[in-house]
Amino acid sequence: MNSIIEKAKSLHQLSKNEIILLLENNSINDNLFKAADEIREKHVGAKIHLRALIEFSNICKRNCKYCGIRIQNKNTKRFRLSPNEILNLSERAVQKGFKTIVLQSAEDDYYNIDILGEILRKIKKNDIAITLSIGERKFEEYKMLKESGADRFLLRIETTDKELYKKLHPGMSYENREDCLKNLKNLGYETGTGCLVGLPGQTTESLANDILFFKELNADMVGIGPLIPHKDTPLKNTPANGFLLSLKVMAITRLLMPDINIPATTAMETLQKNGRIIALQSGANVVMPNINDNELKTKYDIYPGKAYVDYSELEKELKLIGRTISKDKGFRVK
Ligand code: SAM
């Protein structure tokens, strides 16, 4: 087992079977996390990149079976920020010294290319990187958003198990999601993807395929999060036990993709006390503090109990583990 970890550390390559062995064997976990931490230190260093997350709409046309803001959840209080409200929050991020803003929303067609383009151009008057996470759009739309100033895009593949993907995403197509990711890459976006861990019926083989997919796509960022069941979704009875496995998927991803950006995801912190710091010591190098007002934070209810970042606490915690906050935009350095 340890020779597989050594191989991953030196070659950054593993076969599907080797990944499965690592995922299934829990006696090597400490060594795995230590190896991922060493590779993170060697390739991307001790700095943590902070991304200011602005969630600007929870009005969704999709019906993903795990997600609290799916169209069929009638209990969610819907909100949609105006362009001015988004610009005010972006200004807040700039004032606080963030070097990246992440604009995330449900799949809400109200924000057409004209509206989004205008917002991007205005934000871009500041010296700040912009990440979009707004779901699936056409190639031409991604192109125009890039031309308007978007630098990066986050679109998780969620799972590479096509049957499972189909079951969880009614009316959506795996092939289209994959095409979107390829289009984003081809358009020159720093492209982020990732998966959910702990989905019903998900196997270690399918998680190994997810990791190999990230590598094949040459993703620039990979966000991995445990599923957190939401009471108003069809997955409400799924056990919330994906923390350890998601940490392992993340650590193996770091070993195979040493120079990418990997967030300590909010879902990890939500499911496990101190989960953010544990993730930062197991391969992660990015944190995405939500800068919305409290009322909106609770309305963007994709899963219950979402954890938030307390900035001064975070600074203290990072100091304790020998890490500091980066002052640059944190692009992938190849
Ligand atoms: N609409 C955009 C998209 O499809 O990429 C971005 C918003 S979507 C709500 C952001 C992410 O939330 C998804 O990629 C999914 O992995 C995650 N998510 C949704 N429901 C979740 C749940 N119950 N537990 C954990 N993560 C969840």
Side-chain angles (χ1 to χ4, degrees), residues 282-297:
S282 310
N285 69 322
V286 171
V287 175
M288 294 167 58
N290 183 317
I291 63 156
N292 282 56
D293 291 328
N294 286 341
E295 191 204 337
L296 286 186
K297 281 181 185 165

Side-chain angles (χ1 to χ4, degrees), residues 60 66-69 104-107 133-136 154-156 158 177 195-196 225-230 267 300 302-304:
C60 199
Y66 45 80
C67 187
I69 59 174
Q104 187 175 86
S105 70
E107 288 210 26
S133 178
I134 57 170
E136 297 179 19
L154 301 176
L155 185 75
R156 285 184 178 174
E158 313 293 1
R177 199 147 185 102
C195 63
L196 277 166
L227 172 81
I228 303 179
H230 189 294
Y300 197 82
I302 54 181
Y303 51 76

Side-chain angles (χ1 to χ4, degrees), residues 40-96:
R40 185 270 312 148
E41 180 71 33
K42 185 170 164 199
H43 290 264
V44 296
K47 296 253 190 261
I48 306 287
H49 300 293
L50 295 186
R51 323 287 202 202
L53 177 63
I54 297 173
E55 293 159 339
F56 64 91
S57 165
N58 69 355
I59 299 182
C60 199
K61 66 180 182 186
R62 303 293 190 188
N63 208 17
C64 308
K65 289 199 177 157
Y66 45 80
C67 187
I69 59 174
R70 65 203 300 266
I71 190 169
Q72 274 182 5
N73 182 9
K74 303 294 176 221
N75 294 331
T76 286
K77 291 197 180 72
R78 304 286 168 173
F79 75 94
R80 176 184 278 155
L81 296 190
S82 69
N84 266 343
E85 288 172 310
I86 298 173
L87 289 169
N88 287 340
L89 283 170
S90 304
E91 194 51 40
R92 181 185 291 179
V94 172
Q95 296 305 328
K96 287 188 170 187

